[in-house]
Structures are given as C-alpha cells and as structure tokens.
Amino acid sequence: MTKSLILVLLLLLPLLTVQASETSDFTLPKIQVVPIKDTREDRQYELYIKLPEEYEKHKDKTYPVLYFTDAIWHVELLSATSEFLMEEVILVGISWQKDINKDLQKELGAHVSRYRDYSINKSSNPERQAKYQFGQASNHLAFIRQDVIKHIEKNYRTQPDNRSYFGYSAGGLFGTYILMAQPDTFKNYILGSPSLWRNIPQLSELGAKSALKHKGLNANVFISYGTQEKELGEHIREFTQLLKSRNDNSLSLKHPVIEGSHQTAFPMTGVRSMTWLSNLSKEGAKS
C-alpha cells in the first residue's frame, strides 16, 4: 500500500510542479482602461478610471475627481492611498500617447510623449526639437480640458467645481503651467518636485496674462520637493515666492520639504499630498 502511494505521488509530482510554477498577470481591481482621442491633435491616449466602491449603490451622489498624469506610474500609489484616505473620489489617470512613433518608443520607452506634452519651452537644439517636439503643454492642456474632462463629466457623476490635479516631476511642471495659464481647470493642485529649471520667467509671464482674465487663482496648491534636491529646490522656492508675491487671498499654499531624493521622496509625497487633499475635502464638507 505504501509503495503504491509513493508511486502515485511520484507520477503526480511533475503535474504538481507545473501547476505551482504557472503565473498570470495581475490586474488592479476596479480600474477601468478607457481609450480616448485627442481630437485636436489626432492622438490616441487611455484613461485609467477608478470609481468609489459604492458608486453604483448611490445613484444620486456626485463625487470629486482627481486627475493625474503618468497614469501607469502613479495609479498604484494613488489607488492605495485613496482607499485609506479618500474613499469617495474618482481617480482618472491620463496615459502617455499610445500611437506614437515606434522608433521613439524603442529609443526612450513608452513614456516618450511626456517630454513633448508636459514641457513648456522648446529646445534650443534644432535636431532635438524636431525629434521630440518639446513645448506642447498648451496642446496637452487643451486635450485635457476639451476631451478628457468633458468625457468624464458627461459619463460619470462628478462635482465639476471640485477637480484636483496630481503631477510629479515633469508632470509637476505641467501642473504649474496649468495653474498659471488656466487656473480654473482645477480647484486643487498637487505639484510634487516639479521640474522647474528655466521656466520661472515664462510662468511669471503666464501668470500676469491670466491675472487679466481671472481675479485670482482660486486654488489650493500643494508643492513640495525632496531634502536632497538642492538645485531643484532653489527653483521651486523661487516659484513658491512668485505665488506668494501675488498677494492672492484666493490662493491657499502648502509647501513642505520631504525627506529624500527626487526618486525616494515620491512615495511620501503621494501620502502627504493625499492627506492634505483629504483634509481639504473634510473642511469643505463642514463648511
């Protein structure tokens, strides 16, 4: 009997080994991937949308929306932090361009379109400019305002007066552009370690022009950088001072310095900024 049992186990061992070693891709729960087209530039993108857990249960309820760039990089962190800190928020991640030149993708990666979409200035190098098409932040903002936001507010129960933005690094730079050029796009801005190198003069000029259209920024701004980001930190402090110099009573500004480098400060930036956004939401609910 014992010998027979051992023989059966030996015969089954290869099958057990195969089953144990089988793998499969993990898909984040509750994340919808929705294709969307930039109708102005004829470019294809995707939206990563996560609805609150009880969205379908409360048919008459509306929700604030947090839009964020670099969707595939940030969706896991923001999904996790919102579960604990802001359960009742709709997350909308905006991907990089999907139908971009294959040679560029092979050279720099799937994220190559962010160099074009999130940048404010063109390159002084004609060859680099022709290749990467820097400085199209205005076009990308038009896509977000005319296509992304309109799609979300048409198809989901949102609070149009309670939109937030999250961007890190180049995405943070893009957020500063939105804030200064068309501040009414979002109510709350999270700008993590924005890549502000030679952009302050242009941002100042944009702010002066938008001031003619808007009485104030009417925004809550969280802007941060890492303790080890010495040079970048100087530029961010300069931009923060620019915001303060406006003497804008409609602007609420929080500017913490977070432990770490450009890379290691990112996770805590997500947690700290989402805590800040959650507290704003609670304060708004009380008022």
Side-chain angles (χ1 to χ4, degrees):
M1 180 70 178
T2 303
K3 292 181 178 179
S4 299
L5 181 58
I6 292 174
L7 180 59
V8 170
L9 289 175
L10 289 173
L11 290 171
L12 289 175
L13 186 59
L15 295 177
L16 295 173
T17 304
V18 170
Q19 290 178 352
S21 64
E22 287 180 353
T23 63
S24 61
D25 291 335
F26 175 74
T27 302
L28 283 178
K30 298 181 288 185
I31 303 293
Q32 306 171 18
V33 181
V34 178
I36 189 167
K37 188 175 184 179
D38 180 340
T39 54
R40 178 177 172 177
E41 299 295 328
D42 193 25
R43 297 167 180 162
Q44 193 65 43
Y45 293 79
E46 289 178 342
L47 302 179
Y48 290 22
I49 303 170
K50 182 180 180 183
L51 302 177
E53 187 171 346
E54 297 191 345
Y55 180 86
E56 294 300 334
K57 182 177 179 181
H58 302 290
K59 300 293 186 181
D60 58 343
K61 190 170 185 177
T62 60
Y63 297 87
V65 182
L66 174 60
Y67 295 85
F68 57 99
T69 46
D70 294 314
I72 199 168
W73 285 348
H74 301 340
V75 66
E76 293 173 284
L77 176 66
L78 296 179
S79 176
T81 53
S82 64
E83 285 287 343
F84 288 92
L85 298 171
M86 288 191 72
E87 294 181 23
E88 297 191 341
V89 65
I90 296 174
L91 298 180
V92 179
I94 305 166
S95 80
W96 309 307
Q97 184 184 346
K98 305 301 293 183
D99 56 344
I100 200 163
N101 181 279
K102 297 298 181 183
D103 291 333
L104 281 177
Q105 282 195 44
K106 186 175 181 180
E107 179 183 346
L108 287 176
H111 61 281
V112 62
S113 64
R114 73 195 298 267
Y115 299 115
R116 176 198 66 211
D117 290 345
Y118 304 166
S119 59
I120 301 174
N121 297 317
K122 294 182 178 180
S123 173
S124 58
N125 183 315
E127 291 184 5
R128 282 176 56 80
Q129 180 59 35
K131 188 173 185 179
Y132 301 114
Q133 300 179 328
F134 294 104
Q136 293 195 32
S138 61
N139 291 338
H140 199 56
L141 176 54
F143 160 58
I144 290 174
R145 287 176 64 97
Q146 297 171 16
D147 295 310
V148 176
I149 292 176
K150 286 184 178 180
H151 174 84
I152 294 299
E153 294 184 353
K154 178 182 178 181
N155 292 283
Y156 301 92
R157 300 192 307 275
T158 71
Q159 298 170 3
D161 60 344
N162 195 8
R163 305 186 204 114
S164 300
Y165 173 85
F166 179 100
Y168 194 83
S169 191
L173 169 64
F174 180 58
T176 64
Y177 172 81
I178 302 172
L179 175 65
M180 303 307 281
Q182 297 193 61
D184 62 333
T185 306
F186 302 103
K187 178 181 179 181
N188 310 304
Y189 289 80
I190 297 172
L191 312 171
S193 295
S195 298
L196 298 169
W197 298 106
R198 297 175 295 277
N199 307 109
I200 306 297
Q202 189 169 358
L203 289 170
S204 178
E205 184 179 345
L206 282 170
K209 290 180 179 179
S210 69
L212 300 176
K213 301 178 182 178
H214 307 276
K215 292 182 179 180
L217 293 176
N218 293 304
N220 303 305
V221 178
F222 178 105
I223 182 168
S224 64
Y225 61 91
T227 54
Q228 297 176 33
E229 297 185 276
K230 303 300 182 183
E231 185 177 358
L232 180 59
E234 293 180 8
H235 295 290
I236 293 173
R237 288 194 297 273
E238 182 181 354
F239 178 70
T240 301
Q241 190 56 45
L242 172 64
L243 292 177
K244 290 181 178 179
S245 68
R246 295 172 63 96
N247 295 315
D248 185 349
N249 293 328
S250 71
L251 172 67
S252 172
L253 182 62
K254 187 174 183 65
H255 46 94
V257 180
I258 295 174
E259 183 67 31
S261 64
H262 193 70
Q263 289 75 26
T264 60
F266 170 69
M268 189 53 67
T269 300
V271 174
R272 292 274 296 274
S273 63
M274 288 295 284
T275 301
W276 168 81
L277 190 60
S278 173
N279 290 335
L280 283 180
S281 180
K282 292 174 183 177
E283 292 171 6
K286 292 179 182 178
S287 61

